[in-house]
Amino acid sequence: MPRRLSFHIKLILAAALAALADLLFFQAEGRLGAALGIFALAWVAGALVAHPALRRDSRARIAAGLALGFGLLLVEAFTLVGWLLFCAALGVAVLSPRAGRRDDAWRWFQRLAFQGLAAIIAPVADGLTLRKARRRSAPRRLAATLGLVAVPILGGLVFFTLFAFANPVISQALARLRIPPPDFGRGVFWLVVLVPVWAVLRPRFLRRPLALRERSRRPTPGVSTASTILSLAVFNLLFAGQNGLDLAFLWSGAPLPEGVTLAEYAHRGAYPLIVTALLAGLFVLVALRPGSETAERPLVRWLVIAWIAQNLFLVASTMLRTLDYVEAYSLTRLRIAALAWMVLVAAGLVLICWRMLKNRDAAWLINANVLCAGLVLTLASLVDEGALAAAWNVRHAREVGGRGAALDLCYLDGLGGSALVSLVELEQAPIDPAFRDRVAHVRAQTLEQLRADQAQWRGWTWRDQRRLDRAERLLAAHPTPPPLPGPRGECDGRLVPPALTAPPAD
């Protein structure tokens, strides 16, 4: 494709995508829904049209396929994680034809960051380049253009003026014609959309990203073989003490000392122990680089294996602490995210140990960790954590005979549509009538809000439509009494008692 034609095609595609964004998002009210997924799919299609090389490169095709998959996930339901994964996949797709075959994730991070920063000035730079090119050929092109359009334009204006005088329909139409004032807000919106769109259609490629340091046999300053062995021995003893306490109290169920509850024991240790595991991994990375003299000592390797194994047990105990805390209180989105983070920490520790044992380089370790993180984040964008939390809390609530805490209706109300099906199931369960009335009120508000969101085509999502259909089927199959009339609390559905009237004054 000629370069000039390719540039003009990209201009047309950028304008078309900005117009689509204007239709989908400008002055839209309410939440983001499937409209963002539709725009994402159109964006990928525009990139495929603008970059023929993308269709010929195997890695670019895989990245574009992932971008399409994440775009479909955004049609299913909008998540910030899904949107960020889509942007990363699309960026890799448009940059792949110019990248090396064996580049690591660190180089790709630099390229994507450079592309994002360069996107801010890219339209200005391309505009200046285009202006210089036009200035060189402007006189010749201007003469040819004037020779082509002078007679049609002048003649057309003369005849149109005569027809306007002769035909009152045309003259009245011209009299009613009003040129709308410039819309500054829409102009800013188009500019905001065009910057990332143009960055994908005309990407800036970082030719020489910084490489990772190669292996070195030089010892780390301040870390000798003797100090490493001593440190690992001390760390193993300390971790053995902590893991022994967890075995005694968490895993075996032995009674805790007086004044310490299981919930307190579980909650206080969860996050500090994850920091401990991260520091352990950092120590192994710094003090035991592959190829170093320290890492090749058999005693050091065995001490590291024992320490990593203890760290994995520590992470498992931390997960058990979190699960015990959830059982004593409730499940939330944040606690689900914490459990996923603990799984990633455990995977990272295994990879660090494997790297040392197999003498892998830093690029391998980064690539493996990025792959694990990508899989976990993709799973997080597929699963509705709010619906999981709502279902678990309802199933284990004290009000339905479970072992969990009293149900927090305010939290379920804050989950919105994610909690709708669980609220319907709770309302139809054998529970106290007064509590059922509160649940019915919260469910009715959630159902009404979800119907309103789904009625707006920009905010419609496939996930919420399935959720709404299921809730309506459950309500039709097992009708329940409507909530009692009267003022309610903000989120928990409690009836507000009428204010006591003061007795009349004597």
Side-chain angles (χ1 to χ4, degrees):
M1 183 184 299
R3 187 173 182 179
R4 183 178 299 176
L5 178 61
S6 173
F7 185 83
H8 286 92
I9 288 176
K10 291 173 183 177
L11 283 176
I12 295 170
L13 289 172
L17 288 170
L20 178 62
D22 186 291
L23 173 67
L24 294 174
F25 308 123
F26 188 70
Q27 293 183 340
E29 297 179 358
R31 62 175 185 174
L32 287 172
L36 189 62
I38 294 171
F39 180 76
L41 295 175
W43 201 359
V44 177
L48 290 170
V49 172
H51 301 290
L54 190 153
R55 304 190 295 270
R56 296 190 295 266
D57 185 87
S58 59
R59 182 175 55 195
R61 289 197 301 269
I62 294 173
L66 289 174
L68 286 171
F70 290 126
L72 291 173
L73 283 180
L74 292 171
V75 174
E76 154 82 358
F78 169 76
T79 62
L80 180 60
V81 171
W83 175 250
L84 294 176
L85 291 172
F86 164 79
C87 293
L90 185 58
V92 171
V94 298
L95 294 175
S96 279
R98 301 174 63 183
R101 291 288 90 190
R102 294 187 177 181
D103 280 352
D104 52 64
W106 168 238
R107 287 187 173 93
W108 274 109
F109 172 78
Q110 294 176 71
R111 289 197 180 103
L112 292 174
F114 177 79
Q115 184 188 14
L117 294 174
I120 302 173
I121 62 171
V124 178
D126 286 336
L128 292 175
T129 303
L130 184 62
R131 183 180 178 185
K132 290 180 182 178
R134 287 183 173 179
R135 185 178 297 173
R136 288 194 293 266
S137 60
R140 185 171 62 254
R141 189 186 309 158
L142 179 61
T145 303
L146 288 176
L148 177 66
V149 303
V151 175
I153 291 177
L154 293 176
L157 287 174
V158 169
F159 287 119
F160 182 77
T161 303
L162 292 174
F163 287 144
F165 278 111
N167 193 326
V169 175
I170 298 177
S171 61
Q172 290 179 9
L174 289 175
R176 290 193 298 268
L177 185 63
R178 295 289 185 272
I179 299 176
D183 191 339
F184 179 75
R186 178 169 266 125
V188 172
F189 175 82
W190 275 60
L191 182 62
V192 170
V193 172
L194 283 172
V195 167
V197 165
W198 192 248
V200 168
L201 299 180
R202 289 268 299 174
R204 261 52 185 177
F205 187 76
L206 183 62
R207 296 181 182 276
R208 295 181 179 179
L210 298 176
L212 292 167
R213 290 183 60 186
E214 298 296 330
R215 302 180 188 182
S216 173
R217 294 187 60 87
R218 291 182 300 175
T220 304
V223 179
S224 64
T225 302
S227 67
T228 301
I229 294 174
L230 183 60
S231 298
L232 289 172
V234 172
F235 296 162
N236 271 293
L237 288 174
L238 289 174
F239 274 63
Q242 173 62 42
N243 288 330
L245 291 174
D246 285 342
L247 274 172
F249 298 124
L250 279 177
W251 296 92
S252 68
L256 287 161
E258 186 177 353
V260 181
T261 65
L262 181 61
E264 181 185 5
Y265 186 84
H267 183 61
R268 287 185 57 183
Y271 299 108
L273 292 181
I274 285 297
V275 175
T276 301
L278 290 172
L279 290 176
L282 181 62
F283 176 83
V284 176
L285 284 175
V286 173
L288 299 161
R289 298 191 311 271
S292 64
E293 180 182 355
T294 305
E296 293 178 356
R297 292 289 186 93
L299 177 59
V300 172
R301 286 173 172 254
W302 283 111
L303 286 172
V304 169
I305 292 172
W307 193 35
I308 293 296
Q310 291 211 70
N311 272 279
L312 292 176
F313 184 82
L314 190 72
V315 173
S317 297
T318 306
M319 295 178 71
L320 182 61
R321 289 167 182 264
T322 304
L323 293 174
D324 287 342
Y325 191 75
V326 166
E327 187 174 357
Y329 293 95
S330 61
L331 184 63
T332 64
R333 283 173 168 167
L334 182 60
R335 287 164 193 159
I336 294 174
L339 289 170
W341 170 244
M342 294 172 195
V343 171
L344 273 179
V345 171
L349 290 171
V350 172
L351 291 172
I352 289 172
C353 185
W354 187 261
R355 177 209 180 196
M356 184 197 69
L357 295 176
K358 296 296 182 180
N359 291 324
R360 302 286 187 177
D361 57 14
W364 177 89
L365 181 63
I366 291 176
N367 290 343
N369 277 281
V370 168
L371 178 61
C372 290
L375 291 175
V376 171
L377 291 176
T378 301
L379 182 62
S381 63
L382 283 168
V383 176
D384 186 354
E385 296 92 347
L388 284 178
W392 196 96
N393 291 339
V394 167
R395 193 176 302 117
H396 295 84
R398 188 181 303 166
E399 290 81 358
V400 295
R403 298 172 56 189
L407 198 61
D408 187 354
L409 287 180
C410 283
Y411 181 72
L412 295 183
D413 180 68
L415 291 176
S418 296
L420 178 60
V421 174
S422 295
L423 284 170
V424 173
E425 293 174 345
L426 178 62
E427 185 183 1
Q428 296 175 345
I431 55 177
D432 178 72
F435 184 67
R436 177 182 286 108
D437 179 68
R438 293 171 54 198
V439 173
H441 174 75
V442 175
R443 186 270 307 161
Q445 282 191 322
T446 304
L447 180 63
E448 181 181 358
Q449 182 60 50
L450 190 59
R451 281 172 174 164
D453 290 338
Q454 289 296 97
Q456 307 225 355
W457 64 272
R458 290 185 177 95
W460 183 93
T461 66
W462 187 27
R463 177 182 293 175
D464 277 341
Q465 189 60 49
R466 298 197 310 272
R467 184 178 285 144
L468 184 60
D469 292 342
R470 184 181 174 193
E472 290 177 339
R473 286 195 304 269
L474 289 172
L475 290 171
H478 303 283
T480 54
L484 297 174
R488 302 273 179 165
E490 292 184 1
C491 59
D492 62 357
R494 290 183 188 275
L495 278 168
V496 178
L500 297 177
T501 57
D506 292 338

